[in-house]
Amino acid sequence: MRAFTILPTVLIAACATNQAVPKTPQAAQAAFPPDTKIQRLLDERISARSGRGVVLATLGPGRATRIYSAGTSGKAGLPLDGNTLFEIGSITKTLTASLLAEMVERGELKLDEPVQPYLPSSVKMPTKNGGEITFVDLATHTSGLPLLPENISPKDESNPFSDYSVEMLDAFTSGYQLPTEIGERYQYSAVGYGLLGRALGQRLGTSWEDAVVTRVAIPLGMNSTRASLDSRLLARLARGHDEAGNIVSNWDIPALPAMGALRSSANDLLKFLAANIDSSSRPFGRIFAAMHTPRTVMDEETRVGLAWQTGHATNRTIVWHGGGTGGYRSLVAFEPSTRFGVVVLSNWAGGADDIGFHLLDNTLPVKP
């Protein structure tokens, strides 16, 4: 189990934005800071960090957008801009949950029905005292499943999921004993989202990636958001770096792609952000708005809907999800009352999530 003791540290670090937004006593701010201040924050974060870069995009009222960047893509000849691709890690979960919500809207399944009938016969979902895991349990991290499958032991820790097979996932799922009642409490589960994506693909008779691309990405015009990259998209992928600045492998997640396999750009995620902010937008505005509704409690300050986290402060509410892999860090966040939103993408595991939160609420600190 040596590798299992290491991997949660990687995943927890990559998903560190899954924590409460600090309390803030002030009312919503009227505007983003001046361009010069935003650029200075990014330049200071990336200064003297060879090969590393960050792209930050803002979305204001009226869908006004701005894109800023600092550093480099880490790949010769590849510009760092709104079209540069990054691994987005756990932000993938928000698109998986979007697929779920879209299928519920179509009447293809129900949130509160058991997942078991939608999985292959080779998989036996855990039960507890007669209770069965439902779609909403997986989508809100209340299934009782752990962060990662306990039988993962990668040969290559720089690409830790590359040799984790569907057969290994089936063996883990079928043999796992839930430690708590289903729906009893929040416990962030990457493997739960992997199983969710598998069940959704099975229901549609296709792969998770084909389903999420066809049903969510393409309708939103997110034409660069994919897990599998062709040569054209691969050429636009920034090179990832760990926190120390070393170039690291990209992550392959063949058995659990719905938990974190997507790559995307700031331009694509601005489209996703806009659809989440505007409940009147078509075709997803109303569906996405319902996804933000809190369904369970993460901690004192944070509630969880379908994938999305909502941080409550005295006079503020921020909806967000963060993500990361071994060499990338990402954030999508917005304030519903002002319709201000940010996308932060970095090809460096140190990231710049705090800058994104600071732009939405200037009382939240920026790391030194």
Side-chain angles (χ1 to χ4, degrees), residues 49-357:
R49 301 183 187 278
S50 177
R52 288 167 279 188
V54 60
V55 174
L56 186 148
T58 61
L59 177 67
R63 295 199 175 192
T65 62
R66 296 298 297 269
I67 293 179
Y68 310 82
S69 66
T72 75
S73 68
K75 185 181 290 185
L78 176 64
L80 194 65
D81 57 25
N83 291 319
T84 311
L85 293 185
F86 298 78
E87 292 184 349
I88 61 172
S90 287
I91 290 177
T92 299
K93 294 179 177 67
T94 63
L95 282 98
T96 299
S98 298
L99 173 62
L100 168 64
E102 192 264 358
M103 292 174 66
V104 170
E105 177 72 10
R106 289 185 184 222
E108 293 169 330
L109 49 78
K110 297 178 180 179
L111 281 177
D112 60 356
E113 64 179 311
V115 177
Q116 178 66 69
Y118 296 91
L119 290 169
S121 58
S122 59
V123 186
K124 183 181 182 300
M125 285 290 279
T127 60
K128 187 75 171 182
N129 295 330
E132 295 187 80
I133 294 173
T134 66
F135 286 99
V136 73
D137 294 323
L138 293 178
T140 58
H141 299 286
T142 56
S143 66
L145 291 167
L147 174 63
L148 295 172
E150 293 178 345
N151 61 344
I152 186 168
S153 183
K155 294 178 181 177
D156 180 4
E157 290 176 358
S158 68
N159 191 2
F161 299 99
S162 60
D163 60 350
Y164 189 75
S165 66
V166 170
E167 292 74 21
M168 295 170 72
L169 175 62
D170 290 353
F172 162 75
T173 305
S174 300
Y176 188 71
Q177 300 294 314
L178 296 173
T180 61
E181 295 291 334
I182 298 168
E184 181 177 87
R185 64 182 178 88
Y186 173 91
Q187 178 176 305
Y188 191 83
S189 177
V191 66
Y193 257 84
L195 290 166
L196 173 59
R198 189 176 180 192
L200 298 179
Q202 186 84 3
R203 170 64 179 84
L204 295 174
T206 186
S207 68
W208 162 81
E209 181 174 6
D210 285 347
V212 82
V213 167
T214 301
R215 293 288 190 94
V216 182
I218 289 177
L220 287 172
M222 299 172 68
N223 297 321
S224 299
T225 301
R226 303 288 188 273
S228 305
L229 303 183
D230 59 24
S231 58
R232 178 182 57 88
L233 292 177
L234 186 60
R236 289 165 44 199
L237 179 64
R239 181 161 291 167
H241 299 73
D242 64 19
E243 289 202 45
N246 303 305
I247 294 174
V248 296
S249 300
N250 291 108
W251 277 13
D252 301 301
I253 315 177
L256 297 161
M259 79 177 196
L262 287 175
R263 286 85 176 221
S264 191
S265 67
N267 282 335
D268 268 20
L269 290 175
L270 279 172
K271 296 173 184 176
F272 187 51
L273 184 60
N276 273 277
I277 288 176
D278 184 1
S279 61
S280 67
S281 66
R282 293 179 179 271
F284 289 106
R286 184 171 59 84
I287 297 172
F288 286 174
M291 290 174 60
H292 309 149
T293 302
R295 294 173 178 270
T296 192
V297 176
M298 180 193 294
D299 55 38
E300 183 181 352
E301 295 298 327
T302 312
R303 304 295 181 264
V304 180
L306 301 183
W308 291 98
Q309 289 117 36
T310 300
H312 295 277
T314 306
N315 293 310
R316 306 293 292 276
T317 299
I318 294 177
V319 180
W320 85 101
H321 208 293
T325 57
Y328 302 82
R329 184 85 180 210
S330 53
L331 173 71
V332 174
F334 63 95
E335 186 174 12
S337 64
T338 62
R339 296 192 173 188
F340 282 27
V342 296
V343 173
V344 187
L345 299 171
S346 176
N347 66 338
W348 166 50
D353 298 12
D354 56 313
I355 296 176
F357 281 120

